[in-house]
Amino acid sequence: MLPGKKLFAIFGFCNIRCFSDITDILEEEVMVFVNTVAQVVHSLVDQYQGSANKNIGEAFLLVWKIP
């Protein structure tokens, strides 16, 4: 094992409400919607020195390291 470092961070979870209803209505256009939401989420997280870690379909995992 390699020695590691202790980091402090804040994790956020952003969920698109009623995602299954939205996919039923938008059908093939749902990815345009998700990409638009992702653009907003990523730009705001970047603006506040965070990182959008993962997209899990209807949700985004976000992280901010605490200096």
Side-chain angles (χ1 to χ4, degrees):
M1 299 225 6
L2 298 173
K5 281 195 237 179
K6 185 183 248 184
L7 295 175
F8 292 95
I10 297 172
F11 289 90
F13 193 73
C14 178
N15 192 27
I16 300 172
R17 293 179 66 184
C18 304
F19 187 72
S20 58
D21 295 336
I22 292 168
T23 56
D24 290 342
I25 294 166
L26 292 179
E27 296 175 354
E28 66 274 353
E29 295 296 317
V30 72
M31 286 313 299
V32 174
F33 173 73
V34 171
N35 288 339
T36 303
V37 171
Q39 184 177 18
V40 171
V41 170
H42 282 241
S43 65
L44 285 170
V45 171
D46 288 344
Q47 182 180 345
Y48 291 98
Q49 292 79 42
S51 178
N53 187 278
K54 188 171 192 172
N55 175 288
I56 313 162
E58 66 186 54
F60 300 88
L61 178 61
L62 314 166
V63 64
W64 289 267
K65 290 181 185 175
I66 298 174

